[in-house]
Amino acid sequence: MHIRRSPEEIAANRARYEEHQKKGLEFAPTALPGKSEKPAPAIAADQVLHREVIPGGWYWATKVRKNEVLRVSLDEGFSTVTVVAWNAAEPTERLNLPDTVKVQWTTGLGKGRVILSDMGKVMFSVTEDSSGAHDCLMGGSTASSNAKKYAGANGPDIRNTRDNLVKMTTKLGLDKRDIPAALALFAPVRVDADGKFLWKPELISEGDYIELRAEMDMIVGFSNCPHPLDPNPVYAPNPVTVTRIKAVEPAADDLCRTATAEAVRGFENNVLADA
């Protein structure tokens, strides 16, 4: 049932939210930096554990160890790639975007932010990011969204994120009920004053990349399919490169570990879980 709220009630709710947000943002020992510079720095050959090129329309899953880094890069042109993740030791713990957004008071993920699990622990730290254009709200494509956009959408070459993730989880020994809300990387989605989703292509440029440091041992899955809001009428996702980089122990004053009160508490939960 849809409940209509009065303008006065809406204004009062917004005022309460803004007051809570103000208190949540008062703790900021480290200012978050701007976007990472391009081009992405070269990775020494002896630091690369694996490099996978995910073709347009396909998916891939990998295990990562704590402190290893996943660089996701648009080396062959624009594409949106969605990400899901599970705790390798206990897959019932998984990526949680609502909490990631809620406790950091922003949908804007970028360098210095963290990505949380549904147990209040940090799964990823965003250590580098050249775009800041990632979608925490809409998730990936489905057969239905593809059918509205593409001719011949039922053909084998026009795949979608939902079906890819179902196939992936089955191969991993998981169930489709284990699929969390997916983070869409390189998806320049913004929300206007009326709450409408907008696609802002100017936020993405050639050679964009993001680096995600694993803060626990995980299973991480990727699906390389166009975002539902991508206006391109042609189904043409480009290959996306994922590079797994050797672990390095973060410094005590690491940006992601100290930038916000929420990150500090999340890492405290990680320590308690490992004790």
Side-chain angles (χ1 to χ4, degrees), residues 18-40:
E18 290 175 349
E19 178 62 23
H20 286 303
Q21 183 185 41
K22 179 180 177 182
K23 291 179 179 179
L25 295 175
E26 284 176 351
F27 177 93
T30 304
L32 294 181
K35 299 175 183 177
S36 300
E37 293 185 358
K38 294 193 296 185

Side-chain angles (χ1 to χ4, degrees), residues 4-269:
R4 293 184 64 85
R5 303 189 184 278
S6 68
E8 293 78 14
E9 186 178 5
I10 293 172
N13 288 339
R14 177 173 291 278
R16 283 195 295 271
Y17 170 83
E18 290 175 349
E19 178 62 23
H20 286 303
Q21 183 185 41
K22 179 180 177 182
K23 291 179 179 179
L25 295 175
E26 284 176 351
F27 177 93
T30 304
L32 294 181
K35 299 175 183 177
S36 300
E37 293 185 358
K38 294 193 296 185
I43 305 169
D46 62 354
Q47 297 301 302
V48 175
L49 296 171
H50 181 76
R51 181 170 282 122
E52 187 77 15
V53 178
I54 307 173
W58 288 83
Y59 62 90
W60 178 66
T62 186
K63 289 186 176 181
V64 295
R65 303 296 300 272
K66 181 179 177 181
N67 292 333
E68 291 178 353
V69 171
L70 293 171
R71 176 187 287 181
V72 187
S73 52
L74 303 184
D75 297 340
E76 301 184 47
F78 172 72
S79 207
T80 292
V81 58
T82 52
V83 182
V84 291
W86 300 267
N87 182 329
E90 183 48 77
T92 56
E93 180 178 10
R94 52 199 170 188
L95 186 80
N96 189 299
L97 292 180
D99 283 355
T100 296
V101 169
K102 179 174 63 178
V103 304
Q104 294 180 109
W105 300 98
T106 181
T107 60
L109 291 182
K111 185 175 180 178
R113 295 292 183 187
V114 296
I115 301 172
L116 300 176
S117 78
D118 55 6
M119 299 297 289
K121 292 151 60 180
V122 180
M123 299 193 86
F124 292 108
S125 292
V126 183
T127 56
E128 300 290 345
D129 179 28
S130 68
S131 76
H134 313 297
D135 175 27
C136 299
L137 300 175
M138 292 195 64
S141 60
T142 64
S144 177
S145 68
N146 276 1
K148 294 176 182 178
K149 292 175 60 178
Y150 307 114
N154 294 324
D157 295 329
I158 299 184
R159 302 162 68 96
N160 68 81
T161 294
R162 177 64 183 176
D163 288 347
N164 276 355
L165 295 183
V166 170
K167 293 173 184 176
M168 178 195 302
T169 52
T170 300
K171 292 179 180 180
L172 293 172
L174 301 172
D175 186 87
K176 64 182 180 181
R177 292 172 296 181
D178 296 312
I179 301 172
L183 170 63
L185 301 178
F186 314 114
V189 175
R190 292 295 183 264
V191 182
D192 69 12
D194 296 323
K196 181 181 178 180
F197 292 115
L198 303 175
W199 185 261
K200 307 284 283 184
E202 66 272 17
L203 301 178
I204 295 288
S205 60
E206 184 177 352
D208 273 326
Y209 68 101
I210 187 171
E211 293 188 359
L212 304 172
R213 184 178 65 216
E215 301 296 351
M216 62 176 70
D217 293 355
M218 285 185 289
I219 304 166
V220 184
F222 300 89
S223 173
N224 181 12
C225 294
H227 190 276
L229 285 188
D230 187 338
N232 188 349
V234 178
Y235 186 92
N238 288 302
V240 171
T241 302
V242 181
T243 306
R244 183 176 164 211
I245 304 170
K246 281 186 178 180
V248 176
E249 186 70 26
D253 61 349
D254 177 78
L255 171 66
C256 295
R257 291 173 179 260
T258 60
T260 66
E262 293 78 17
V264 171
R265 287 194 290 269
F267 280 107
E268 288 173 351
N269 290 338

